[in-house]
Amino acid sequence: MLSKNIEKLLQDQVKKEASSSQVYLAMANWADVNGYPGSAQFLYTHSDEERMHMLKLMKFLNERGCQAEVPALNAPKKEYSGLMEVFKAIMDHEITVTASINNIITACLKENDHLTNNFMQWYVSEQMEEENLARSIIDKLEMIGADKSSLYLFDRELGEFQAEH
Ligand code: FEO
């Protein structure tokens, strides 16, 4: 059985992952109608991955004697000024998610809940990868600046990157 505190933290994390999925889905739609098909593909896939993160937590809660809750969510932001704003928002968002995961692990250590701690380690690695990826995309976008043809190639590359991963 999970403690009430750990259960609450995991249910809150379910909501954060669900919300991430919605945010990336809205970003994907924005990219799709604003001439960035590669980025849209990347973001649609990213949205699916976040749903998988949510489901993994739900299954864990169910297996540990709780019942996962499907959270109510606010509609995400629809409009962006460009890809830089999208990926900076992703970076900020993922930093918040990482802090939340670290917080769960701290609580697990305090309560000697090694099983949940062990389960959450997968999320720690995943967060590191996601933050690194967002950071490298922002670096590329900074180099590209306002150069439209480089932006076109970047978008195509991002779609290809997604197809390979
Ligand atoms: Fe599941 Fe991007 O955090």
Side-chain angles (χ1 to χ4, degrees), residues 103-134:
N103 188 39
I104 296 174
I105 287 169
T106 304
C108 290
L109 292 173
K110 268 192 201 144
E111 295 189 27
N112 266 333
D113 184 345
H114 299 295
L115 203 133
T116 308
N117 179 13
N118 188 41
F119 169 75
M120 290 307 296
Q121 293 304 317
W122 181 87
Y123 287 84
V124 173
S125 319
E126 185 67 17
Q127 282 311 118
M128 197 175 71
E129 273 179 31
E130 288 197 355
E131 279 188 28
N132 287 345
L133 181 59

Side-chain angles (χ1 to χ4, degrees), residues 18-19 22 28 30 38 94 115 132 136 139 148 155:
S19 162
Q22 297 279 78
W30 174 86
E94 292 302 337
L115 203 133
N132 287 345
S136 73
D139 286 348
K148 285 223 159 44
D155 181 66

Side-chain angles (χ1 to χ4, degrees), residues 24-131:
Y24 296 144
L25 193 56
M27 287 170 168
N29 286 335
W30 174 86
D32 206 23
V33 300
N34 280 282
Y36 301 114
S39 304
Q41 195 187 333
F42 175 90
L43 291 160
Y44 282 123
T45 306
H46 200 145
S47 170
D48 286 345
E49 282 172 13
E50 296 297 350
R51 185 167 190 279
M52 189 272 283
H53 298 174
M54 175 197 72
L55 278 175
K56 204 174 159 76
L57 278 159
M58 284 179 156
K59 295 266 182 199
F60 182 79
L61 278 159
N62 292 345
E63 279 162 13
R64 302 289 297 145
C66 308
Q67 183 174 339
E69 284 159 22
V70 177
L73 299 171
N74 294 327
K77 173 178 157 80
K78 278 173 67 179
E79 298 301 333
Y80 289 89
S81 59
L83 285 181
M84 185 59 112
E85 192 192 352
V86 167
F87 284 99
K88 281 196 165 157
I90 289 180
M91 185 76 221
D92 290 346
H93 187 81
E94 292 302 337
I95 287 172
T96 312
V97 173
T98 301
S100 165
I101 283 164
N102 287 339
N103 188 39
I104 296 174
I105 287 169
T106 304
C108 290
L109 292 173
K110 268 192 201 144
E111 295 189 27
N112 266 333
D113 184 345
H114 299 295
L115 203 133
T116 308
N117 179 13
N118 188 41
F119 169 75
M120 290 307 296
Q121 293 304 317
W122 181 87
Y123 287 84
V124 173
S125 319
E126 185 67 17
Q127 282 311 118
M128 197 175 71
E129 273 179 31
E130 288 197 355
E131 279 188 28

